[in-house]
C-alpha cells in the first residue's frame, strides 16, 4: 500500500509518501521560520496555505513518475492537535486530494503519530512513549484499546517552555537547538555535565505530571540578574530533562513496561536522549529515539500511521472529517494493533 501523508499542525508544511511493501518513506517539508519572536498563528496559517500545495505537488509528481497514475492508495492527514487555521488548510487539501484520486481518507492524531513512528522504527511491541514536542509533553501507555495519558505537563509544552526563555534572550525561533549549543559550552569542556555548575531552578513533578511555567520565568529572571546565559541554558536543560526522565522512569516502573520510545521535536536533543538512555540502561529497559527527521513535525509519521489505519479499515467519510485543534491521544480508538497487550 502507498499512502500520501500531509502534516501541518503548526510550523511545518510537509507531505510524504510511505510505501508499506518497501518500508520506504519520502518526506518533503517546508518550515515556517519567523523573522523574530515565536510562531505567529496568522503568519503560520499564511505559510501553510502557500506551502501545502507545493509540498503535496512535489510528492505527488514524484509518486506518479515512479508508480504511474494509480500511485496513491490512500490520503492521510493530521487532524489535530494544532493551530486551527493551519489544520483547516491541511484538512481541505487532504479531502480534495482524496476526492480527486478517489481513494480513502484517513484522519491521524498528530501525537499518536509521534508515538507510533517510534514503535514502527524500533519494532517494540508495547512501549511507554515520552512525547517531548513543542506544544505538548506527555507520557502515553497502551491499555485496553487506547493510548492512555499516564502523565503530562500541567501547563506549557516542553519546547514552548524552552522557547519562552530564548525569546526573552532575543534568540530566533526555534530556541531548543540554541539552548543545546549554549549548554554544551558549559558541559562540553571535558568535565561532563556532572561537574558543571548548576543554577537552582524550579523542579516540579507531581506523580507523573509536571510543570514548566515556573522554570521559564525563573530562567528569564536569572538572565535579567546577569547570570551567564550558557549556565542558564545548561541548568534549564538539566532541570527540564531531569523532570522528563524522572516521570518516564516512574511510568516504566508502574506499568511494568520494559521499552521506552521518544517522540517530538525536543527529542532531537542529545542531552535528553543521553539521560533517557542512561535511565533505561540502569533498569534493564530498551530505549529508542527515532531518526531526527521523524522527531520534528513531519508528514512521514502521518503517512506511516495512516497506512496502518487504512489497512485496518479506519478511514473517514468526508462529512465526519473535520479537524480538531484539541484532539487528545486518548480520544483515538486504536484500531490498527492486533496484539493483546494491555
Ligand atoms: P507538537 O508536535 O506538540 O505540535 P510543535 O509543532 O511545536 O509541537 P515539534 O516539531 O515537535 O513541533 O517541536 C518543535 C520544538 O522542538 C521547538 O520548541 C524547538 O525549540 C524544539 N527543538 C528542536 N530542536 C531541539 C533541540 N536540539 N533541543 C531542544 N529542543 C529542540
Amino acid at each position: 500500500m502507498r499512502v500520501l501523508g500531509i502534516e501541518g499542525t503548526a510550523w511545518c508544511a510537509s507531505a510524504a509518501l510511505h510505501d508499506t511493501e518497501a518500508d520506504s518513506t519520502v518526506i518533503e517539508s517546508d518550515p515556517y521560520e519567523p523573522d523574530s519572536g515565536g510562531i505567529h498563528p496568522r503568519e503560520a496559517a499564511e505559510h501553510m496555505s502557500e506551502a501545502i500545495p507545493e509540498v503535496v505537488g512535489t510528492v505527488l509528481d514524484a509518486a506518479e513518475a515512479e508508480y504511474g497514475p494509480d500511485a496513491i492508495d490512500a490520503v492521510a492527514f493530521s487532524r489535530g492537535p494544532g493551530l486551527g487555521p493551519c489544520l483547516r488548510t491541511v484538512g481541505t487539501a487532504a479531502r480534495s486530494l482524496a476526492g480527486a484520486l478517489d481513494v480513502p481518507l484517513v484522519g491521524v492524531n498528530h501525537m499518536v503519530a509521534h508515538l507510533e513512528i517510534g514503535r514502527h522504527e524500533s519494532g517494540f511491541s508495547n512501549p511507554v512513549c515520552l512525547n517531548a514536542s513543542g506544544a505538548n509533553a506527555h507520557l502515553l501507555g497502551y491499555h485496553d484499546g487506547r493510548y492512555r495519558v499516564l502523565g503530562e505537563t500541567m501547563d506549557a509544552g516542553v519546547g514552548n517552555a524552552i522557547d519562552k526563555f530564548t525569546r526573552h534572550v532575543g534568540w530566533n525561533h526555534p530556541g531548543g537547538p540554541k539552548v543545546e549549543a549554549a549548554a554544551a559550552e558549559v558541559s562540553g569542556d571535558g568535565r561532563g555535565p556532572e561537574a558543571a555548575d548548576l543554577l537552582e531552578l524550579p523542579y516540579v513533578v507531581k506523580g507523573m505530571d509536571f510543570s514548566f511555567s515556573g522554570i521559564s520565568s525563573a530562567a528569564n529572571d536569572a538572565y535579567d540578574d546577569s547570570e551567564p546565559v550558557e549556565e542558564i541554558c545548561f541548568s534549564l536543560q538539566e532541570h527540564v530533562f531531569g523532570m522528563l526522565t524522572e516521570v518516564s522512569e516512574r511510568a516504566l516502573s508502574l506499568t511494568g513496561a520494559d521499552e521506552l520510545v521518544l517522540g517530538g521535536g525536543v527529542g532531537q536533543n542529545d542531552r535528553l536522549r543521553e539521560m533517557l538512555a542512561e535511565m533505561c540502561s540502569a533498569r534493564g529497559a530498551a530505549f529508542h529515539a527515532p531518526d531526527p527527521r521523524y522527531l520534528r513535525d513531519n508528514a512521514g509519521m502521518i503517512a506511516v500511521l495512516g497506512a496502518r489505519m487504512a489497512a485496518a479499515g479506519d478511514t473517514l467519510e468526508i462529512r465526519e472529517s473535520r479537524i480538531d485543534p484539541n484532539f487528545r491521544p486518548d480520544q483515538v480508538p486504536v484500531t490498527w494493533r492486533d496484539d493483546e497487550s494491555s
Side-chain angles (χ1 to χ4, degrees):
M1 182 189 293
R2 289 183 293 267
V3 175
L4 190 145
I6 312 178
E7 157 63 27
T9 48
W11 61 274
C12 184
S14 180
L17 183 74
H18 177 61
D19 180 341
T20 55
E21 259 175 52
D23 192 17
S24 66
T25 312
V26 175
I27 305 174
E28 183 74 22
S29 294
D30 184 349
Y32 152 65
E33 284 156 353
D35 294 334
S36 62
I39 292 179
H40 189 292
R42 184 180 47 76
E43 285 179 12
E46 280 169 11
H47 171 78
M48 215 48 82
S49 59
E50 284 161 22
I52 285 288
E54 297 285 330
V55 292
V56 169
T58 303
V59 170
L60 198 54
D61 289 349
E64 288 180 352
E66 188 163 351
Y67 303 106
D70 296 327
I72 311 296
D73 298 308
V75 173
F77 72 107
S78 42
R79 261 182 114 177
L83 300 174
C86 296
L87 290 169
R88 274 191 281 284
T89 298
V90 172
T92 304
R95 279 179 218 110
S96 316
L97 190 60
L101 298 174
D102 195 20
V103 297
L105 180 66
V106 186
V108 173
N109 179 293
H110 174 89
M111 301 316 300
V112 175
H114 270 311
L115 179 168
E116 280 285 340
I117 195 65
R119 206 167 72 89
H120 175 81
E121 269 200 335
S122 63
F124 290 172
S125 59
N126 195 24
V128 162
C129 174
L130 170 64
N131 265 331
S133 63
N136 291 275
H138 51 233
L139 287 154
L140 298 177
Y142 181 77
H143 178 72
D144 199 17
R146 299 218 175 195
Y147 285 112
R148 312 289 167 175
V149 179
L150 305 173
E152 63 187 321
T153 175
M154 293 182 278
D155 36 58
V158 56
N160 289 359
I162 294 171
D163 296 338
K164 191 172 167 194
F165 168 68
T166 53
R167 274 203 303 282
H168 186 73
V169 172
W171 293 345
N172 272 8
H173 184 85
K178 290 156 191 121
V179 167
E180 181 169 22
E185 287 183 33
V186 175
S187 59
D189 60 1
R191 295 179 303 154
E194 292 76 19
D197 293 330
L198 195 63
L199 299 174
E200 206 172 304
L201 296 172
Y203 183 103
V204 183
V205 169
K206 306 261 183 211
M208 284 190 278
D209 294 329
F210 39 95
S211 159
F212 295 128
S213 62
I215 199 168
S216 301
S217 307
N220 292 355
D221 290 347
Y223 182 74
D224 293 342
D225 288 344
S226 306
E227 294 289 353
V229 72
E230 295 80 7
E231 276 184 32
I232 305 173
C233 290
F234 170 77
S235 305
L236 186 60
Q237 286 202 159
E238 294 301 301
H239 282 76
V240 167
F241 299 158
M243 287 187 231
L244 293 178
T245 304
E246 180 185 332
V247 291
S248 299
E249 177 160 34
R250 191 159 296 134
L252 288 171
S253 171
L254 293 181
T255 59
D258 59 2
E259 299 165 330
L260 178 73
V261 293
L262 179 61
V266 180
Q268 295 169 99
N269 187 290
D270 283 342
R271 180 65 182 138
L272 174 60
R273 296 154 80 112
E274 181 183 46
M275 281 189 183
L276 293 170
E278 261 178 37
M279 178 273 288
C280 284
S281 150
R283 55 180 297 116
F287 171 64
H288 180 77
D291 189 275
R293 76 183 187 132
Y294 282 136
L295 282 167
R296 51 183 169 261
D297 285 358
N298 69 91
M301 66 182 188
I302 304 299
V304 167
L305 178 52
R308 291 189 172 192
M309 292 173 71
D314 190 351
T315 60
L316 289 173
E317 296 298 327
I318 298 289
R319 66 175 179 282
E320 61 188 16
S321 67
R322 69 186 171 283
I323 54 107
D324 181 355
N326 301 311
F327 199 8
R328 282 178 61 87
D330 49 4
Q331 287 177 278
V332 180
V334 176
T335 54
W336 58 92
R337 278 177 65 148
D338 52 12
D339 56 295
E340 295 302 313
S341 314
S342 62

